[in-house]
Amino acid sequence: MDIKSTTPLGVYDKSEEEEKKIILREYRALLRALKQNIKKGDKSLLRHAFEMAVEAHKTTRRKSGEPYILHPLAVARIVVEEIGLGVTSAICALLHDTVEDTEITLEDIAREFNNNVSKIIDGLTKISNVVDIRGNSTVQAENFRKILLTLAEDPRVILIKLADRLHNMRTLDSMNREKQLKIASETTYIYSPLAHRLGLYEIKSEMEDLALKFTQPDIYTDITRGLKETRRERTRYINEFIKPLKEELSHLGFDFEIYGRPKAIHSIWNKMRNKHVTFEEVYDIFAIRIILKSPPEREKEDCWKVYSIITNFYHPNPERLRDWISVPKGNGYEALHTTVMGPGGRWVEVQIRTARMNEIAEKGLAAHWKYKEGAPSAQESKLDSFLEHLREVLASPNTDTVDFIQDFKLDLFTEEIYVYTPKGDMRVLPKGATALDFAFDIHSQLGTRCIGAKVNHKLVPLSHKINSGDQIEVITSSKQHPSEDWLQFVVTAKAKSGVKAYLKEDKRKTAESGKNMLKRRLEKMNTTLSQHNINELVQHYKKSSPLDLYYAIAVSNVDLGELKNFTLYGDKLQHQSKEIKNDTKELVDEDALKIKHGKGVELVIFGERSDKVLYKLAQCCQPIPGDDVFGFVTSGEGLKIHRTDCPNAAKLLANYGHRIVKTKWAKNKEISFLTGVRITGMDDVGVIQKITNIISGELKLNMRSLSIDSKDGIFEGTIMVFVHDREELNMFCNKLGALDGITKIERIDSPEG
Ligand code: MN
């Protein structure tokens, strides 16, 4: 993804001299960062790459007006300073956009530099070629698959890509809103999970904070302000907490650092959202970190000693102890986490790790072990086994790529459990994995034939959830075949794609006969199964692919009698009722709107060219005027409007960028929109009366439903009302909040949500 333009925008007013100085300063900073890793001859290679990039990009500027070369320079610095890669990667970062955007060819690079460099640049070019393509969702998902494939080949490609993306996110301010949303969504959808999986916690965290900043600016600002306002109090508390520990650790002769640090903004936001709490109610807004400078042979012992000292002062919560030192996480993370009761009855999380572990936590496993000069380590095998796993999953044929990415993403984020084969080999699986996932993890052949398992010598069904420490023996039968319902309980990408591949193959065979039936029907009509006709029919029967259509025909789920409603133009089928219009045609039928709003009014939303377009509001987030929204062109239901903070937004924006329509609300005071709020409060007999007073008395809103549940003196209620816009909703919430006994009000995404 390149953020650039040939004409400078905005107020950019640096002279050529100043620019030269800045560019040189950046280059020198890069050299300084590489210092320890520079060998003989490296410097001239670097210089060569730098000059080549400067020359290649000399006529281009970024959207901000800056010379383009500052981008590759910044990417190179991230690659070196924040990921810890060496000279080869720095060279590649400097040249990462040249083959795609300038006259320079891959052959030029191969000639001037070594084979590694040209291979990496080739990988980077392939990724950027595919990311921005205008195509269907499968194409988009296929892109992600390609990204993952390059990862499996040489992790440096993806590490440089992550640096590239990070810098683009840092400079997203100068892009237009549409681009911001698309880039930010793509980042949360694929790049930050990857950074997480590769153990690049700092980068992952910054990416997610920036994505939040651009997708939900209000929330971002609120939390930032909240953090600022509470800083003084927090610092005081942290100092009080740390003081006795510091004294004791120094007294015992430890060489260490101890500090408190606030959690990332997006993680605070996740807590608020998942637990339905306000900023003030998020209790673990910071964590205490202790970093020990221990020699390798004493690391484990020292960390546990420190744990024991902490618990002499503060009482630990036994359920919150995490030992990632004895068994590191799959992405290489090592540390001891505990949560203890601090002064004033507050739970405080403490993370204990050594300086080496800390470096892995910040820069990731790949950087630390694989490409840094120095001895390899046992840790390398962790990365290797992850990459091996990735290659296996990617290699499975016939998987639907959109699904695949979804499944794979789940794998990236979940907590892990550690289980054992009958021979005592350890396997790492995501939490919630079943016996069947275990079977697929060992081998897909074992998975497709699995009929059950013995967990700790006890017979269990396929769907049995396994736990850390379990020892599992898979039982198979040659007569076994995967079935649709297996997908209900398997959780790993490998198992899912294994089952799906089998089912798809099965379906393909059935579909073959449907295809033949259709072919004969069309021949009778004097036409053929041409690409045009297939598309026309897939659309008419509302199927997602030709395969689905053939399958539905084979199992007689579609009525081929409807073919008589088609007219033949030459050999092209055309549905009679379908009119050919220009691209501003009505996108939705009026009936749907009548149901939704009680009257047949034409609602308008303004796209880029202020066309009047009909649309539907997405059920998943129920937007109202005033919300930040985008339009999404669905395949059968016209334009749908989603909130940019809709739970599905990231997925849609990242996968179907080409179907996004920029929208904003028209000023329209006549129509009201259904929305809902959830309220919590202390039980009060008069509360319903007061609420209805506000709704129908003061604000004269039209209420659709009000339900209140109360238990043990606390009540929770859901109110669905029609409002004109966000302003009215806010007014409503403020009035509710002013009532005695109501403690919390939050908007809900959908009536079920
Ligand atoms: Mn770039």
Side-chain angles (χ1 to χ4, degrees), residues 221-231 234 279-280:
T221 324
D222 283 352
I223 297 175
T224 322
R225 196 192 307 122
L227 281 173
K228 217 166 146 194
E229 281 167 5
T230 51
R231 197 169 72 194
R234 193 166 50 246
F279 177 79
E280 288 72 27

Side-chain angles (χ1 to χ4, degrees), residues 1-2 68 71 96-97 164 168:
M1 176 85 24
D2 328 284
Y68 192 82
H71 166 65
H96 82 271
D97 278 331
D164 181 29
N168 284 340

Side-chain angles (χ1 to χ4, degrees), residues 336-350:
L336 213 52
H337 287 197
T338 176
T339 301
V340 298
M341 184 57 82
R346 272 167 79 171
W347 288 115
V348 176
E349 184 183 304
V350 185

Side-chain angles (χ1 to χ4, degrees), residues 568-582:
L568 221 46
Y569 293 95
D571 60 352
K572 288 182 175 171
L573 284 176
Q574 180 85 63
H575 198 258
Q576 278 160 5
S577 65
K578 197 176 148 191
E579 297 160 56
I580 308 158
K581 284 189 182 174
N582 60 19

Side-chain angles (χ1 to χ4, degrees), residues 507-518:
K507 186 176 173 182
R508 205 184 52 75
K509 284 180 191 149
T510 312
E512 203 54 40
S513 69
K515 188 176 179 179
N516 287 331
M517 279 162 73
L518 181 62

Side-chain angles (χ1 to χ4, degrees), residues 2 33 41 51 53 85 152 208 247 377 407 451 518 539 578 748:
D2 328 284
E51 280 166 359
L85 293 173
E208 292 190 343
E247 284 167 5
S377 134
D407 297 343
I451 52 169
L518 181 62
Q539 225 175 39
K578 197 176 148 191
I748 53 178

